[in-house]
Amino acid sequence: MKKHVTLKQTHLGTKQKNILFKGYLELLPEQDNISFHYIESDQTTVVEVHAEQDSFYLKRSGEMITELCFRENEKTRGTIRSEYGTIELTLFTHKYIQKDNIIAVEYDVMVNGEVSDSFRFLCTMKEVMA
């Protein structure tokens, strides 16, 4: 099913917004789950998104490989791998919403038990009219 997808990330401290992707994608619906992938503007980094009812998974594969998993009101682990080694992340997800045409995640990145950064990830999807 083809939809127009917009992915935005907002840093909740500075309010800086980044549009991560805007365009048409083929979504792979499986029951109540949503999966899709896209190539970032550098034309080398592939991003995979899997949204299930109770969890959200994001993987970026390019010069660095980032894998993040989110579950509402839970601490989860993430990793960033590069030629210099692996960085382990602790994430705390405050809010996770996955509905028909929206995915929203609000989370903190934790360092030594303290909040380092806070972000909102928002994905909106609109039907393509034939």
Side-chain angles (χ1 to χ4, degrees), residues 23-104:
Y24 295 95
L25 293 175
E26 190 69 33
L27 273 62
L28 309 169
E30 300 172 11
Q31 296 175 339
D32 293 331
N33 302 335
I34 298 169
S35 295
F36 59 86
H37 68 277
Y38 65 92
I39 299 173
E40 290 187 345
S41 58
D42 66 5
Q43 300 299 309
T44 60
T45 303
V46 177
V47 179
E48 299 173 46
V49 173
H50 302 284
E52 300 178 4
Q53 285 299 99
D54 63 348
S55 63
F56 177 75
Y57 174 77
L58 178 77
K59 181 177 182 181
R60 293 180 71 246
S61 301
E63 275 189 39
M64 295 188 303
I65 298 172
T66 304
E67 294 183 79
L68 307 174
C69 182
F70 304 92
R71 287 187 199 91
E72 190 169 56
N73 294 318
E74 287 187 31
K75 283 185 180 179
T76 54
R77 293 271 187 212
T79 57
I80 301 172
R81 292 190 308 267
S82 73
E83 62 184 88
Y84 303 107
T86 300
I87 299 171
E88 298 283 334
L89 300 172
T90 300
L91 308 165
F92 181 80
T93 306
H94 293 279
K95 186 179 287 187
Y96 172 61
I97 298 169
Q98 191 262 81
K99 293 188 178 180
D100 293 335
N101 291 310
I102 193 165
I103 301 167

Side-chain angles (χ1 to χ4, degrees), residues 104-122:
V105 183
E106 287 188 7
Y107 65 97
D108 295 332
V109 177
M110 313 287 290
V111 175
N112 297 324
E114 300 290 324
V115 175
S116 170
D117 285 302
S118 298
F119 296 94
R120 177 184 300 121
F121 175 87
L122 182 63

